[in-house]
Amino acid sequence: MLSSFCAVKPRFAPMMLLGAVLLNTAYGAADAAESAASKVSQSAPETAPTQFNNPIIKSDSKDPTSQQGPLIYTADPAALVHDGTLYLYTTHDEQTAQGKDYRMYDYRLWSSRDLQTWQNHGAVLRYSDFAWARGDAKTGNAYAHHVIARKDQSGNSKFYFYAAVEGGQTGGAFGFSIGVAVGDSPFGPFTDPRGMPLILLEDTAKDKNHSWRNIDPAVFIDDDGRAYLYWGNQQLWWAELEADLVHLKGEKYQLDAKGRMQNRDSSAVHIHKVDRLPNFEEGPHLSKHNGVYYLVYAAGFPESLAYATSTSASGPWQYRGIIMDPLPGTTTIHPALFDFNGQTYLAYHNADLPGGGNYRRSVALDQVFFNPDGSIRPIIRSRKP
């Protein structure tokens, strides 16, 4: 969601960066709907749409697609399909038309049972819900994120919200971290069970030195139950998660009297680099379709959408090409590839709303089509049918 600082030019100011990712999994669909989820209609359509009234999020109103209201700028979509509903989590661009930096304080949730009619659930998480995160009147640092669901040992669904925010570094250094918050419902509330970041600057310091390298988290749970965290700017990393989804595999720590982590030891954690993706910039998203693993990511700057495939969630990855060229009005793209009602879709952001631009983006959806060999056809962007 953010790109290289070298293109900072308008991309960054001292307190700026952008993170984002997204990742959807069908693992852990609940058998019983949570009480909050009962607000969403329970009748799913027999067929899914092929064209969209893009951007699908236009106004901060009850019906954000079709109902008039104050414009709202959203970006970095994260798609969670759960119990027949698509929960679409977005960042929230609050910059003025003349602004030259990102102003992002909260994460918004939108839901749909048919991908045409949407409900606005407002903000479900703020950067300040992480006690260690930093922000001010200029920037709230609520950058790209990802949400997944999984059942706990009691059979209850838990929802895991991974977010890139600034703060939490050893010694108070400036830099972006990845945190995780957990809730009992897709609507939250989400709370930080660690009391500290999941990914810190020190975890990737041997590979890169820019302070915004740890952004754009994306989590994937494979068929065997193993969970993987992908992330990065200008470098792609991945690590396996513990079964609780809030610790890295091999991470050691102690707890204080309030249950917060301390004395973290990551020496046994294996963080992997992926170096063979052409022009990798940021925004990785991992999903599985028809038995093939797809890694979609933002490539180059201005960003296009590229992808690679593999027979494993851990690679190796075969580069397959570009599926979307850079978009007018914005230098970034952030993908989320997901299946819904028998079809595959891509969520991303553009700058198509009135007054849109690099710091005032808008979330859109389009259908994804595969060739017989599993390759993805170039995405055809749609507007109002």
Side-chain angles (χ1 to χ4, degrees), residues 180-243:
V180 58
V182 183
D184 294 327
S185 159
F187 308 100
F190 296 95
T191 57
D192 176 7
R194 295 172 56 93
M196 68 175 301
L198 179 64
I199 298 292
L200 293 155
L201 286 179
E202 60 203 53
D203 295 323
T204 53
K206 64 183 177 62
D207 301 320
K208 295 289 182 179
N209 61 11
H210 58 294
S211 63
W212 64 99
R213 60 184 177 265
N214 292 326
I215 64 170
D216 293 4
V219 174
F220 175 78
I221 303 177
D222 210 348
D223 298 334
D224 60 4
R226 296 171 68 180
Y228 303 84
L229 170 68
Y230 277 77
W231 77 96
N233 171 278
Q234 300 180 36
Q235 174 67 60
L236 178 60
W237 292 280
W238 68 269
E240 191 169 349
L241 295 173
E242 294 284 9

Side-chain angles (χ1 to χ4, degrees), residues 40-324:
V40 182
S41 168
Q42 295 299 307
S43 57
E46 294 183 359
T47 59
T50 59
Q51 287 188 307
F52 296 90
N53 184 2
N54 282 322
I56 56 168
I57 306 301
K58 297 179 174 67
S59 66
D60 195 7
S61 55
K62 183 177 180 181
D63 178 352
T65 303
S66 303
Q67 183 179 350
Q68 290 189 349
L71 291 178
I72 186 169
Y73 299 97
T74 58
D76 310 313
L80 170 67
V81 177
H82 180 76
D83 196 27
T85 295
L86 174 64
Y87 295 96
L88 191 65
Y89 300 85
T90 69
T91 52
H92 179 198
D93 285 343
E94 298 187 57
Q95 187 56 274
T96 65
Q98 295 75 34
K100 300 299 180 183
D101 200 348
Y102 297 102
R103 290 189 76 236
M104 306 163 75
Y105 296 90
D106 59 33
Y107 298 93
R108 295 299 187 100
L109 172 58
W110 323 83
S111 70
S112 178
R113 296 282 292 186
D114 60 8
L115 306 190
Q116 298 282 23
T117 303
W118 295 85
Q119 293 188 40
N120 179 357
H121 302 283
V124 294
L125 186 72
R126 293 183 61 85
Y127 81 94
S128 54
D129 290 332
F130 295 101
W132 44 265
R134 295 186 293 203
D136 54 29
K138 180 181 179 182
T139 176
N141 296 325
Y143 298 138
H145 58 291
H146 186 69
V147 182
I148 60 170
R150 191 176 205 176
K151 289 184 178 179
D152 62 18
Q153 293 181 344
S154 300
N156 299 315
S157 291
K158 297 288 185 181
F159 299 83
Y160 300 82
F161 201 120
Y162 301 84
V165 293
E166 197 279 317
Q169 306 297 340
T170 301
F174 176 87
F176 285 82
S177 305
I178 294 173
V180 58
V182 183
D184 294 327
S185 159
F187 308 100
F190 296 95
T191 57
D192 176 7
R194 295 172 56 93
M196 68 175 301
L198 179 64
I199 298 292
L200 293 155
L201 286 179
E202 60 203 53
D203 295 323
T204 53
K206 64 183 177 62
D207 301 320
K208 295 289 182 179
N209 61 11
H210 58 294
S211 63
W212 64 99
R213 60 184 177 265
N214 292 326
I215 64 170
D216 293 4
V219 174
F220 175 78
I221 303 177
D222 210 348
D223 298 334
D224 60 4
R226 296 171 68 180
Y228 303 84
L229 170 68
Y230 277 77
W231 77 96
N233 171 278
Q234 300 180 36
Q235 174 67 60
L236 178 60
W237 292 280
W238 68 269
E240 191 169 349
L241 295 173
E242 294 284 9
D244 64 5
L245 302 184
V246 299
H247 296 97
L248 301 173
K249 189 172 183 179
E251 191 177 28
K252 298 181 179 68
Y253 54 91
Q254 296 175 330
L255 298 177
D256 65 15
K258 295 183 178 180
R260 296 172 299 194
M261 286 177 59
Q262 59 182 1
N263 301 323
R264 175 183 185 258
D265 178 2
S266 61
S267 60
V269 174
H270 193 178
I271 294 179
H272 307 257
K273 287 200 310 177
V274 180
D275 289 325
R276 296 186 178 181
L277 294 178
N279 297 319
F280 176 83
E281 187 66 25
E282 60 191 3
H285 181 273
L286 181 60
S287 55
K288 188 177 183 181
H289 310 272
N290 300 316
V292 179
Y293 297 84
Y294 289 81
L295 179 62
V296 184
Y297 64 93
F301 190 76
E303 294 172 355
S304 57
L305 278 188
Y307 80 106
T309 58
S310 180
T311 58
S312 166
S314 58
W317 296 97
Q318 177 187 0
Y319 178 71
R320 303 298 293 269
I322 301 293
I323 56 174
M324 183 178 286

